[in-house]
Amino acid sequence: MSQDPLKAIRGSFLDFVDDPFYIPETDSVRYLSDGLLVLENGKIKAFGPYAELQAEYDHLPTTVYSEQLIVPGFIDTHVHYPQTEMIAAYGEQLLAWLNRYTFPTESKFADKSYARTIANFFLEQLLHHGTTTALVFAAVFPQSVDAFFEAAEQLNLCMIAGKVMMDRNAPEAVCDTAESSYQETRALIQKWHKKGRLRYAVTPRFAITSTEAQLRYAGQLLQEFPDVYLHTHLSENVDEVAAVKQLYPDCAGYLDVYDQAGLVTDRSIFAHGVQLSDAEFRRLSAAQSAIAFCPTSNLFLGSGLFKIEQAKSPDYPVKVGLGTDVGAGTSFSLLQTANEAYKVAQLRRQQLSPFKALFLATLGGARALNLETLLGSFDLGKEADFIVLNPRATPLLALRSGEATPTSLDELADQLFALMMLGDDRAVHATYIMGELVFQP
Ligand code: GUN
Ligand code: ZN
């Protein structure tokens, strides 16, 4: 990919310099109504008000986006690429949904060329929806991981993924063994982890489909490769939690199953956490683990209402990102995911402000994935993955948003809220990866 050494983007920029769940929005939100972003070899070289940077950088080739809103690329902290084609599968809750739809669909990913086709389609969807980084479940087959990483590498994307480990309570066609999952994961880590912008996540599906032996192998891999991730599901559904109790009678609870295998670390991301106990929230806080909040999925499968205010409590803070969880989730759009997160909070008599929701989709997600030194904001030196949102992308959005560019945080919050409630991929006007335009409708 060709890269100009130096170039600039001018427009309205919004990002975060701190966490608005803990720091007032007046101090954590950064808004430049007329800003300049200077890029050098895909990284951010300068960022500030146009009026201040104009003298130094006026000679650079500059792309101007007027009446748009430029934000860091969205980060999806939990999604399954092999489930793309089974989005919107009718009528079941988690365990029946897995058996009826998920396992048969994922069995197709033994075929590498099929996996490659879907991986390319999935990544194109992500870019169209403004998602530039994701933490991704592949399928149980190592070739499904190869297909995914090969596609992501071609697009120069920062992606984290892993082979699903599952050795029981599922059809034989999608099961490995404790030993084979260890060997195959090990080989995939050596092949892909930190190759360019790619990262590996050790990915046991969940406690129900892994034996204790397999979970211990996963823990052993984290010991052998201390900077890989751990990615799994946790406490999503009431029947699931009951089944885990039966399968692991000696554990204190669901999280303890993972803890006893050495899987609860500061590089662990647990999807859902809808049914967590107070003690489990405290344990996740102490371990500096992260939760992927997946509201469209939790509503679609009838799993329940995630307690965002408990996860983000100042006393026991847990890192949180947003996850689409496609195919249980119903949209690739982090805007639509924020929409549903807002409604989940409403049902619990809580408020999720548009800035807090955008934080979860950007810098919060980067922190959940320990990527905040590289991604998630316009800080100098970070990798220039960003998107251009159109606040007037549809006739209804245009009517709702009006014509003025926001000049205050209140006006900006209102515009952003409308984008989240009414926007989706139609609101994504451009997607940039490492400073290069990769998608424009
Ligand atoms: N728990 C175990 N596997 C899955 C999955 O594929 N999707 C969801 N939503 N939950 C799971
Ligand atoms: Zn999931």
Side-chain angles (χ1 to χ4, degrees), residues 78 80 233 272 325:
H78 178 68
H80 301 249
H233 297 91
H272 305 290
D325 195 27

Side-chain angles (χ1 to χ4, degrees), residues 78-80 83 97 137 231 233 236 271-272 294 297 325-326 328:
H78 178 68
V79 61
H80 301 249
Q83 294 177 16
W97 174 87
F137 263 67
H231 183 200
H233 297 91
E236 177 176 1
H272 305 290
C294 306
S297 167
D325 195 27
V326 167

